[in-house]
Amino acid sequence: MKKIMSAEEVIDFIEKTAFLHERIEGDFIPESVTGETSDRYLSKWKEILAKGDDELFQKRLSFDNLTEDKVKLLLGKVHLRDRDNLSEWSSILEKILNREDSLKFEDIRKGKNNRFLLSEIPVPFEEIYVPLVILAGEEVMKKTGNSYNLADEHVHILFEHSLMASIHYICVKAVYLEFSIFNSDSSFTGTLDRFINTEKRNKYDLFVEKMLKNNYMDLFMEYRVLARLVCTLISQWIDNISEFLLRLHEDLPEISEIFNEGKEPGKLIKVNPSVSDRHNGGKQVITLEFESGLKIVYKPKDLSLEKTYFHLLSWFNENDVPYDFKSLKIINRKGYGWVEFADHLPCNDEEGVKNYYRRAGALLCLLYIFSTSDCHMENIIASGEYPVLVDLETLMQGDVRFFEDEQYGQKIRFLADKKLYDSVLRTGLLPRWQFTPDNKAYDVSGLGSTDDHGMIYNQEIWKNLKTDSIRFETDRIRANRMGLNMPYIKDKKISPYEYKDDILQGFNEMYNYMLKNREYLLSHDTLLKDFRGKTVRMIFRATNTYGMILGKSINPSFLRDPLLWSMNIDLLARALSKLEVKTDFLWPLVKYEIKSSEQLDTPCLGGYSDSKSLYLENKIEIEDFYQESGYDRL
């Protein structure tokens, strides 16, 4: 069978998906001729980023040492600088388009190779995505060998369904638009009559059959950015799931020893494959459950900070702390690790609830001392009488170096904001509100966010799936917060608002305990020194900002055009361009955010607890980013 896409055609396809920053950084070589196309893109970029404000746009260009004349060269036709070193996603593209054993629509409907199509969680146009997920699953089997069999079929179904849901999120607007066009044009049926039996078949079935028959060629040629993003998702998923299974196989003996009293945990029977945001190439936290009932958590990052933190909690428990803490067991490996699962458990009685909130006050004190941030409702688990912090990467936040404005009034606001930020409110445990675009407030805090504080947001509700009249409506719904941060008795969750005195009591007693032990803790031979040199995360902006920009970028018009798509991602530079003070030193950080977002990741910015520098990819360092390191503040 002749290949649909040759190697040369793959390179041509890649060149037509070049993003803005790849052109600026020299990954692609521009032609020397500019014209109307370049002028049009330049105007569009100025409109998207600066809403036509020339001064604002010029400042943005200055971050990359660009002028408008230089930019025009980059906005025309370009060629790959290195044709021998192609991105991983391009090999997935070849495998998709050149796949010989194309699945037929009738086979999918009859249940062939569609185990991940879950009737209880239907996905619009899900049949279209089946060959993509099958290809990804086959690649995982090849890469993992016997490790693949550590998990039962249901686990692989959950992994594959999660991948399909991610593909659907990127594709659905473009696919729905293409179906709407197909559904409204009777000539399509006539064309398909030549090679598909259309008798008694609806347009939906014919549309899916058409998509499957040419291995997505029409869709990918029309929406080149979509093709790149889908192939990036699949490539990352293959690497990450394979890596997880191989690591599980290697570490299973120690997992048995540390978490299961030396007994074999049995087969992996259940996972939640997307507990966290995507970071560093689509990596996500995974919760695991084995046949024996053992539950643990896989975290694809260094866990030395978490191990040191829980070691400190154990020391407190052995040295007369007012309220003991729950300390989780950890296996730390290079770049990943395994953590004991913190179950959401009930309190036995009213006194148990009081103890929970006293411990919450003690935890608030400890996290305040450790200059911790981002302890929102999803990072706290109410495990019986114990509030457990399950994400510790924002311990020891450094004191970020700000530039004060010369105007006195703004200086006052700066000092007031800094004073507020340096208080217990920094932790995120106490009530704090975020706002939707229509200015609706919702509480996201670790203690204050109760079931009735869920964010109101727009959700697409799909109706008439798998029919010609498939459509969606937008509805306003309240997010299900699960309430895992709330203690409960039987089925009743207990709000913190009646237990403020208990929270204060726990805080005061822990504060006095820390003062009593301060001299010992600060001596050089205690475990506090182990907090030096630990990797910590810096939250530069609200995570939902990245989600909003990505959500806008899946508009079909953006998915057709890589320059428009990446100009939309470049919106991350707008806030920096609008600041009136010197901000050049922050540009590498924002550029890292842009690159991460183009990989569909939530940017994860990091540094070391005892350093005043911020570190980005490829060892890029922003020196003196902090006035004082997190460890020195501690």
Side-chain angles (χ1 to χ4, degrees), residues 114-127:
N114 69 348
R115 63 182 184 178
F116 46 84
L117 300 187
L118 305 179
S119 57
E120 65 273 23
I121 319 175
V123 172
F125 301 102
E126 59 188 8
E127 300 94 340

Side-chain angles (χ1 to χ4, degrees), residues 9 14 68 97 109 111 132 251 258 266 460 542 557 579 606 612:
E9 288 170 327
I14 293 171
E68 290 195 7
L97 296 181
R109 275 287 173 91
L132 301 174
D251 294 339
I258 298 299
E460 293 175 354
S557 61
L579 292 176
K612 292 198 289 185

Side-chain angles (χ1 to χ4, degrees), residues 279-418:
H279 299 304
N280 303 319
K283 297 182 187 300
Q284 292 179 287
V285 174
I286 302 171
T287 60
L288 294 68
E289 184 174 347
F290 296 88
E291 282 178 314
S292 64
L294 173 67
K295 295 180 182 179
I296 59 173
V297 181
Y298 167 74
K299 295 191 175 186
K301 63 179 182 179
D302 176 70
L303 297 181
S304 59
L305 175 59
E306 301 200 16
K307 192 164 187 176
T308 303
Y309 170 81
F310 286 118
H311 188 195
L312 177 64
L313 296 192
S314 296
W315 183 89
F316 288 149
N317 292 345
E318 294 165 4
N319 288 274
D320 302 321
V321 72
Y323 304 98
D324 62 322
F325 294 95
K326 188 178 183 70
S327 180
L328 302 181
K329 299 174 185 175
I330 290 179
I331 297 173
N332 187 35
R333 292 285 186 262
K334 187 175 180 180
Y336 74 99
W338 313 91
V339 184
E340 180 182 352
F341 186 85
D343 267 310
H344 185 217
L345 300 173
C347 296
N348 293 327
D349 49 32
E350 170 73 12
E351 186 61 26
V353 175
K354 286 179 175 287
N355 286 334
Y356 175 88
Y357 282 115
R358 289 165 187 158
R359 287 189 174 93
L363 179 63
L364 174 64
C365 176
L366 186 62
L367 297 179
Y368 164 64
I369 290 169
F370 270 82
S371 299
T372 311
S373 67
D374 204 42
C375 300
H376 52 72
M377 71 284 170
E378 293 175 355
N379 285 343
I380 298 291
I381 302 295
S383 189
E385 296 184 7
Y386 297 89
V388 183
L389 182 64
V390 294
D391 189 349
L392 296 140
E393 60 189 0
T394 57
L395 286 174
M396 292 183 290
Q397 293 291 290
D399 188 11
V400 177
R401 177 166 59 97
F402 289 103
F403 287 93
E404 301 177 32
D405 195 285
E406 293 179 358
Q407 294 184 21
Y408 182 74
Q410 291 188 10
K411 183 175 182 181
I412 289 294
R413 284 196 294 275
F414 167 80
L415 293 173
D417 288 345
K418 190 174 186 302

Side-chain angles (χ1 to χ4, degrees), residues 181-199:
I181 295 169
F182 182 91
N183 197 26
S184 63
D185 192 340
S186 60
S187 65
F188 280 117
T189 304
T191 303
L192 288 169
D193 276 337
R194 290 179 295 171
F195 54 89
I196 299 175
N197 178 13
T198 61
E199 184 179 355

